[in-house]
């Protein structure tokens, strides 16, 4: 369950200490620290001084064990719980086990089955620790819940987990039942590890990735085979990553020691060049395996993590899709179950003393056993079912039951993952009531499962065709989530006209029949896709071509987006257009997020920003529906480009700021860097010079340290764009000239190509027409190939800038006519500004005035005061009074940008500048800057006035901005 608000008694000096410490952390680390400690500033203040230098800068993952996060706070909470009566602590332990770390919603059924008296919770409520709620126990905060679990002895924990496993007997409750069976095991068990692995795969298929991660991690803890344990840890890392828990994913990936998975994670939050090397090395090893190297089975056990992180077990794939060679997954006729226990699942059926049979552990899956079936195999004590007996217990050995049995096994206990194992201050609670009461109800049928726990039907997925090299037994599944931040590189004199990053190479190929079964792309395909993204991310064309050569050598069929990018980099613009148009067409609703992101990127490359915005928004919605939040900020990175080009700075800035926080929270700092650079572009568009410089400096500092040429170049372009639109043409030309000279890791040829129209304008204004003509020539060739109205319009504008005198007028008219068929509204307004300026110099005053007034109106609506100032200056030169500044909606908040309004509302709700900075992943100085702008635009001087004004606007219903 979600933790309630923080303890109101938290000492204010600790909160102040956290604010001081937060200033020493990188933005992403600050966000993840607060997330790791459930938003508690006391715990955050305790954790930060204990971080290593690499953890504080985001190079190493943060701790995930609660005992490592806030040991002092946990000791305090445990001391409070130890003062409660045994019966109260037993209920709290049962409730905590039901909620942490896997919520199962079985507390009330367990209480009924064990005939426990819930009036014992009165003592906890009187102490302010917890209270009874409609659905069970509500703890004061997350740390109290964890402490309630940790204060129980190992024996008591096993008892309550077994009780919860017993009452979870519904047909849709197999994964949760398996979790409690595994958590109640006293020691390693291959059979239980196999059962948990199967349950994890079912949970992942249903889109419950946090549950799949917990099950797989527990399976690894119970697995007796080191090699299989490493495979399970890699698989758990993949689930954790897709679920948005980047810190845990990085820790598990290190424990699993799978280079390919480490390369994928490095691409999102490390050095992209190193990620490329690791991924290509993994591809070469797959190819060296011989025939079928690109198939799903070529990785063997080493590919578990990469398949999990690429969505190999997502909603499109199910138990009926067939086995995955080398994956450990059960299939018809195969006794091996997921978990790597060999024939453990088969022997479990023949072992009547090994506990009830689990249908989930039987090859081919199935439904859980009925209550009657389970009862027939149970020993006398229903909470000591015998799940996962240790090595020392034989099939026919007599064993004590109840409390005596738990005490006897205390020396061999192996506690579940999550809270730390029982420490010296763990105090046993009386579990006799649980044993006795539950024993009395052993013959009773299990309660009906909660409707909320039923596994929903598998959602439909976009069909993803397997490349020709994939084996026929590949598992049906949608394609993988895309990389966090990639972008096209550009060939000499030929670059792609978009800043959009490159997608993975798993876009679907057209199917010839509706009955074709979708198959999982081969691991080699996934790894080559990620290696290609790493090459493009760095801006290193040499690495990109190396990845293409590896693809050719392995016979991997590239999808339209990747093929289009490679063709564009090689100057084959017509081929690139055909491939990109095919990829852009796959943007229908409800599809696979990766396919939708591919479609959005292809649309951006083609200059179709409306379709790009639609595809990326659908990708984000699909990712949320499938339970893969890690994909959401990746989709929003591409939407930012569409918002920028279509002149929607307010909405685009707000969406990018939210995506920036999500990227930080999910451990995608490379994606966050890309979004920070995109936010710098929005600031350049709106003329906020201070914020643009701060964001660009932050993005470039991070990008240059990790060899990320794309964000570094985008940030440089933002600064040049600010100079250009503010009339500082020499400074803009110098920045763009420097951008052209930056090599891989410092610049990006695709960004240089995208900036070509602006470079032409700056160069013409400074008299360097030779360079301007060279830059325009290649841009025009690309625009002519893709036939985008916007690109052709910008090419015509460049030709107008280069034309002498009256010849420019016809080119401007052509440009405006093309703009009318496109979507780059802001660039259309700039074309009108330049046209009006030319007409003024030609003394065509009437038409010049009309063009300048039209441009001024557009700039005011976009919230671009610096461009509006240029239009007013031109109007004054005509001797014409400038139109009054548009203020947007007739409300005070209509004067604010989207970011300013967001900050104003948070301040009006009582948040401090530091708290606002933490939430938006900005610096306190930036928040101060925003609030000063808010106060200035609203004409107020205090937060009290701000609260009153926001309340008045909300009451009038006029508090939204575009």
């Amino acid at each position: 369950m979600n933790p309630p608000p923080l303890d109101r008694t938290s000492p204010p000096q600790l909160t102040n200490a956290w604010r001081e410490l937060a200033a020493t952390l990188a933005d992403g680390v600050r966000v993840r620290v607060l997330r790791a400690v459930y938003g508690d500033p006391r715990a955050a203040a305790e954790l930060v001084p204990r971080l290593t230098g690499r953890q504080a800068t985001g190079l190493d993952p943060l701790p995930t064990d609660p005992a490592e996060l806030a040991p002092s706070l946990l000791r305090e909470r445990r001391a409070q719980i130890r003062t409660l009566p045994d019966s109260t602590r037993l209920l709290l332990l049962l409730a905590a086990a039901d909620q942490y770390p896997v919520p199962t919603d079985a507390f009330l059924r367990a209480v009924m089955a064990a005939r426990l008296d819930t009036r014992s919770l009165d003592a906890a409520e009187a102490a302010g620790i917890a209270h009874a709620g409609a659905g069970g126990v509500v703890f004061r905060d997350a740390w109290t819940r964890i402490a309630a679990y940790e204060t129980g002895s190992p024996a008591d924990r096993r008892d309550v987990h077994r009780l919860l496993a017993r009452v979870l007997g519904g047909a849709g409750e197999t994964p949760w039942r398996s979790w409690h069976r595994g958590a109640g095991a006293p020691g390693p068990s291959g059979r239980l590890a196999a059962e948990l692995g199967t349950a994890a795969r079912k949970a992942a298929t249903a889109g419950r990735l946090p549950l799949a991660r917990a099950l797989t991690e527990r399976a690894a803890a119970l697995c007796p085979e080191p090699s299989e344990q490493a495979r399970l840890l890699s698989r758990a890392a993949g689930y954790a990553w897709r679920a948005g828990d980047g810190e845990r994913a990085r820790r598990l990936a290190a424990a699993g020691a799978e280079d390919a998975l480490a390369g994928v994670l490095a691409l999102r939050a490390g050095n992209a060049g190193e990620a490329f090397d690791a991924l290509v090395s993994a591809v070469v090893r797959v190819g060296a395996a011989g025939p079928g190297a690109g198939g799903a089975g070529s990785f063997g056990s080493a590919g578990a993590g990469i398949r999990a992180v690429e969505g190999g077990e997502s909603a499109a794939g199910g138990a009926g899709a067939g086995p995955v060679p080398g994956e450990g997954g059960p299939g018809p006729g195969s006794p091996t179950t997921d978990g790597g226990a060999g024939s453990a699942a088969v022997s479990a059926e023949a072992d009547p003393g090994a506990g009830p049979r689990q249908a989930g552990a039987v090859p081919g899956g199935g439904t859980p056993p009925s209550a009657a079936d389970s009862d027939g195999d149970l020993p006398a004590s229903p909470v000591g079912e015998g799940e996962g007996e240790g090595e020392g217990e034989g099939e026919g050995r007599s064993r004590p039951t109840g409390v005596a049995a738990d005490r006897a096994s205390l020396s061999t206990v192996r506690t579940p993952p999550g809270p730390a194992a029982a420490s010296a201050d763990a105090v046993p609670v009386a579990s006799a009531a649980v044993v006795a009461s539950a024993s009395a109800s052993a013959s009773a049928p299990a309660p009906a499962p909660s409707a909320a726990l039923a596994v929903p039907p598998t959602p439909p997925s976009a069909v993803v065709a397997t490349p020709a090299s994939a084996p026929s037994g590949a598992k049906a599944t949608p394609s993988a989530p895309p990389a966090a931040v990639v972008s096209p590189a550009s060939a000499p004199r030929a670059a792609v006209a978009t800043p959009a990053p490159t997608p993975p190479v798993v876009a679907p190929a057209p199917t010839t029949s509706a009955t074709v079964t979708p198959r999982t792309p081969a691991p080699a395909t996934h790894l080559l896709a990620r290696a290609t993204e790493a090459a493009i991310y760095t801006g290193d064309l040499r690495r990109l071509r190396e990845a293409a050569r590896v693809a050719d050598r392995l016979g991997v069929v590239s999808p339209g987006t990747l093929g289009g990018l490679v063709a564009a980099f090689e100057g084959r613009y017509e081929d690139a257009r055909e491939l990109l148009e095919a990829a852009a067409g796959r943007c229908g609703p409800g599809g696979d997020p990766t396919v939708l992101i591919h479609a959005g990127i292809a649309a951006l490359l083609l200059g179709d920003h409306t379709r790009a915005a639609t595809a990326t928004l659908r990708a984000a919605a699909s990712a949320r529906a499938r339970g893969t939040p890690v994909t959401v900020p990746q989709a929003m990175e591409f939407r930012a480009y569409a918002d920028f080009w279509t002149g929607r700075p307010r909405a685009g800035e707000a969406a990018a700021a939210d995506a920036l926080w999500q990227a930080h929270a999910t451990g995608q700092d490379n994606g966050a860097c890309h979004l920070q650079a995109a936010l710098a572009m929005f600031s350049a568009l709106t003329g906020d010079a201070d914020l643009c410089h701060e964001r660009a400096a932050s993005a470039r500092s991070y990008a240059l340290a990790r060899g990320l040429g794309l964000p570094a170049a985008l940030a440089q372009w933002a600064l040049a764009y600010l100079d250009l639109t503010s009339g500082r043409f020499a400074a803009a030309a110098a920045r763009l000239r420097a951008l052209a000279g930056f090599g891989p890791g410092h610049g990006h040829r695709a960004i240089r190509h995208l900036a070509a129209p602006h470079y032409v304008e700056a160069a013409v204004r400074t008299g360097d027409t030779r360079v301007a003509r060279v830059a325009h020539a290649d841009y025009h060739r690309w625009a002519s190939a893709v036939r985008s109205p916007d690109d052709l319009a910008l090419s015509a504008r460049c030709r107008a800038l280069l034309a002498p005198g009256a010849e420019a007028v016809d080119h401007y008219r052509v440009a405006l006519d093309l703009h009318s068929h496109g979507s780059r509204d802001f660039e259309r307004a700039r074309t009108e500004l330049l046209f009006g300026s030319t007409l003024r110099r030609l003394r065509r005053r009437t038409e010049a005035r009309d063009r300048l007034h039209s441009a001024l109106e557009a700039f005011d609506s976009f919230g671009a005061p610096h461009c509006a100032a240029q239009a007013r200056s031109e109007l004054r030169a005509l001797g014409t009074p400038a139109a009054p500044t548009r203020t947007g909606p007739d409300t005070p908040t209509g004067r604010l940008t989207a970011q300013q309004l967001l900050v104003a509302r948070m301040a009006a709700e009582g948040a401090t500048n530091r708290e606002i900075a933490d939430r938006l992943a900005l610096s306190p100085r930036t928040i101060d800057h925003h609030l000063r702008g808010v106060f200035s635009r609203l004409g107020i001087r205090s937060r009290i006035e701000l609260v009153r004004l926001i309340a008045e606007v909300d009451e009038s219903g006029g508090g939204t901005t575009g």
Side-chain angles (χ1 to χ4, degrees):
M1 76 175 184
N2 294 325
L6 302 177
D7 183 9
R8 298 187 186 92
T9 63
S10 298
Q13 61 269 23
L14 289 182
T15 300
N16 294 334
W18 156 242
R19 291 175 180 173
E20 295 174 3
L21 291 168
T24 66
L25 301 175
D27 289 341
V29 177
R30 183 171 65 248
V31 171
R32 292 193 291 276
V33 162
L34 281 174
R35 191 186 191 201
V37 298
Y38 307 96
D40 190 335
R42 293 182 60 191
E46 184 179 351
L47 172 61
V48 172
R50 303 174 62 249
L51 297 178
T52 67
R54 290 178 59 84
Q55 288 175 329
T57 56
L59 296 177
D60 286 344
L62 298 174
T64 55
D65 191 332
E68 298 179 41
L69 293 171
S72 298
L73 185 58
L74 273 178
R75 282 196 298 270
E76 175 187 317
R77 295 290 194 263
R78 287 196 293 263
Q80 294 173 358
I81 292 174
R82 286 200 302 270
T83 63
L84 299 174
D86 284 356
S87 58
T88 303
R89 289 169 43 227
L90 175 61
L91 284 172
L92 293 179
L93 173 59
L94 179 62
D98 181 50
Q99 299 173 14
Y100 175 82
V102 174
T104 54
D105 299 322
F107 173 77
L108 295 179
R109 283 183 278 171
V111 167
M112 294 174 62
R115 295 189 175 90
L116 298 178
D117 188 354
T118 57
R119 288 176 296 183
S120 298
L121 288 173
D122 292 345
E125 185 171 359
I129 291 175
H131 65 272
V137 174
V138 179
F139 288 94
R140 176 178 58 189
D141 56 28
W143 298 106
T144 302
R145 181 188 63 205
I146 295 171
Y149 186 88
E150 290 189 348
T151 51
S153 67
D156 292 326
R157 293 186 209 173
R158 291 197 301 273
D159 277 347
V160 297
H161 278 298
R162 290 167 179 169
L163 173 60
L164 290 165
R166 174 164 179 75
V167 300
L168 287 166
E173 298 177 322
T174 300
W176 293 273
R177 185 172 189 270
S178 295
W179 161 256
H180 284 298
R181 283 169 53 81
S189 168
R191 178 179 57 81
L192 272 179
E195 177 185 327
L196 288 165
T198 300
R201 191 168 56 206
K202 290 182 177 180
T205 298
R208 298 185 176 93
L209 295 173
L211 174 60
R213 190 275 306 164
L215 288 165
T216 309
E217 197 171 348
R218 183 58 181 158
L222 295 176
C223 184
E225 295 293 334
S227 60
E228 294 300 327
Q229 187 178 59
R231 185 183 70 86
L232 289 168
L233 288 172
S234 294
R235 183 185 296 276
Y239 291 145
W241 175 257
R242 292 173 60 209
D245 192 348
E247 300 301 298
R248 187 179 294 273
R250 292 168 66 192
R251 282 189 169 272
L252 290 170
E258 184 176 317
D259 291 341
L261 178 58
V264 171
L265 300 183
L267 175 61
R268 311 297 198 261
N271 186 286
E274 295 176 359
F276 175 88
D277 294 338
L279 291 166
V280 169
S281 296
V283 173
V284 171
R285 285 198 299 272
V286 174
S298 58
F299 258 146
S301 62
I306 190 66
R307 277 187 291 271
V309 84
E310 298 298 349
E313 296 164 331
S314 56
V324 179
E327 190 174 9
S334 170
T336 305
T337 60
D338 187 24
S343 59
V346 176
S347 62
E349 292 191 30
D351 183 3
R357 285 180 292 178
Q358 284 292 297
V362 178
T367 58
S370 65
D373 293 338
S374 298
D375 289 342
D377 290 337
L378 290 175
S381 173
V383 295
E385 292 179 297
E387 299 95 323
E389 288 80 4
E391 301 292 338
E393 287 191 77
E395 174 183 345
R397 182 178 302 180
S398 61
R399 56 190 293 266
T401 60
V403 178
D406 292 331
R407 299 296 182 267
S409 62
L410 184 61
S411 61
T412 60
V413 69
R414 182 165 182 170
T415 57
S423 57
D425 60 355
V427 181
V429 298
S431 58
V434 180
V435 179
S437 300
S439 297
S441 60
S443 59
S450 168
L453 294 177
V455 177
T458 301
S461 171
V463 175
V464 181
T466 305
S469 60
S472 60
K475 185 177 179 181
T477 179
S479 57
V485 184
V486 286
S487 176
S490 148
R493 299 179 55 84
V496 183
T498 181
T502 294
V505 285
V506 290
T511 56
T512 57
S513 172
T515 61
V516 174
T517 303
R519 302 185 186 278
T520 303
T525 302
H526 285 308
L527 293 174
L528 279 169
R530 302 301 174 252
T532 302
E533 291 161 7
I536 297 171
Y537 207 4
T538 63
D540 191 338
L541 183 59
R542 178 188 59 80
R543 289 177 184 256
L544 180 66
R545 288 171 173 164
E546 180 181 345
R549 285 195 296 270
V550 171
D552 291 340
R553 187 164 63 250
L554 294 179
V556 177
V557 179
S558 300
T561 307
L562 179 61
L565 289 170
V566 172
F569 299 154
E570 295 176 352
R572 296 181 287 109
Y573 288 167
E574 292 294 337
D575 293 341
R577 177 180 55 79
E578 294 178 1
L579 291 166
L580 293 172
E581 283 180 347
R586 304 184 180 102
C587 61
D592 180 87
T594 297
V595 176
L596 289 168
I597 291 177
H598 289 177
I601 294 171
L604 285 172
L605 292 167
L606 294 169
D608 189 345
H609 305 102
T610 301
R611 186 159 56 170
T614 300
T616 51
L617 286 173
R618 285 174 174 172
S622 179
R624 293 187 188 99
R626 293 164 183 253
T628 55
V630 72
T631 311
V632 174
Q634 299 168 17
M636 301 311 289
E637 290 175 41
F638 308 131
R639 175 193 165 175
Y641 289 108
D643 287 339
F644 174 80
W645 286 120
T646 54
R648 302 176 66 243
R650 294 177 179 177
E653 186 177 28
D658 184 66
L660 174 66
W661 184 89
Q662 294 179 61
H664 280 319
T666 53
Q668 302 182 80
D669 285 347
N670 288 357
C673 176
H674 190 193
L675 286 162
Q676 190 75 272
L679 285 167
M681 285 296 291
F682 283 118
S683 298
L685 190 150
T686 57
D688 195 334
D690 292 340
L691 191 55
C692 179
H693 280 277
E694 180 180 341
R695 286 170 166 170
S698 175
R700 282 187 61 80
S701 174
Y702 179 95
L704 295 178
R706 290 163 177 79
L708 306 176
L710 171 63
L714 184 58
Q716 178 80 350
W717 183 22
L719 295 173
Y721 194 81
L722 177 67
D723 288 333
L724 178 66
T725 53
S726 299
R728 297 186 294 271
F729 305 116
R735 290 188 190 277
L736 292 171
R737 193 177 304 113
L739 176 62
F742 289 150
H746 294 76
H748 206 285
R749 299 178 69 178
I751 296 297
R752 182 183 69 182
H753 176 81
L754 288 168
H758 303 141
Y759 190 21
V760 170
E761 181 181 349
V764 167
R765 294 298 187 101
T766 56
D768 194 352
T769 56
R770 183 187 62 82
V771 172
R773 293 182 187 279
V774 172
H776 169 249
D778 186 64
Y779 187 86
H780 177 70
R781 195 164 73 88
W782 168 256
S784 300
V786 299
R787 298 195 287 272
S788 162
D790 285 312
D791 289 325
L792 289 170
L794 291 176
S795 177
R797 188 176 81 186
C798 291
R799 187 174 286 109
L801 287 167
L802 291 165
E807 293 183 17
V809 173
D810 291 337
H811 294 305
Y812 275 122
R813 295 191 192 283
V814 171
L816 288 173
D817 181 63
L818 289 166
H819 273 308
S820 66
H821 299 286
S823 58
R824 296 190 188 181
D825 295 336
F826 191 86
E827 289 300 320
R828 174 193 172 92
R830 283 194 50 75
T831 300
E832 286 195 304
L833 173 62
L834 294 170
F835 189 19
S837 178
T838 298
L839 291 169
R840 178 186 63 78
R841 291 193 299 273
L842 293 173
R843 300 182 182 279
R844 301 168 67 165
R845 299 172 59 86
T846 301
E847 188 177 1
R849 183 170 55 249
D850 292 342
R851 294 298 180 187
L852 292 172
H853 274 303
S854 177
L856 176 60
E857 182 179 3
F859 292 140
D860 280 338
S861 69
F862 296 145
H866 56 318
C867 291
Q870 290 183 359
R872 287 190 174 88
S873 177
E874 291 287 343
L875 285 168
R876 284 195 299 271
L878 278 172
T880 302
T885 302
R886 286 187 53 174
T887 58
D890 189 20
T891 62
T893 55
R895 309 166 197 163
L896 305 179
T897 66
Q899 187 85 330
Q900 287 175 330
L901 181 58
L902 182 62
V903 171
R905 287 192 175 280
M906 296 178 72
E909 292 168 0
T912 65
N913 287 10
R914 171 60 68 182
E915 290 167 344
I916 299 173
D918 290 340
R919 176 62 181 86
L920 299 182
L922 297 173
S923 70
R925 189 167 73 86
T926 300
I927 302 303
D928 290 339
H929 169 79
H930 277 312
L931 283 176
R932 285 196 302 271
V934 168
F935 284 15
S936 175
R937 292 194 180 195
L938 299 182
I940 59 177
R941 303 180 66 180
S942 70
R943 290 194 179 219
I944 295 176
E945 293 180 76
L946 178 63
V947 171
R948 182 168 59 249
L949 188 147
I950 293 292
E952 291 173 355
V953 171
D954 289 343
E955 289 176 2
S956 65
T960 59
T961 61

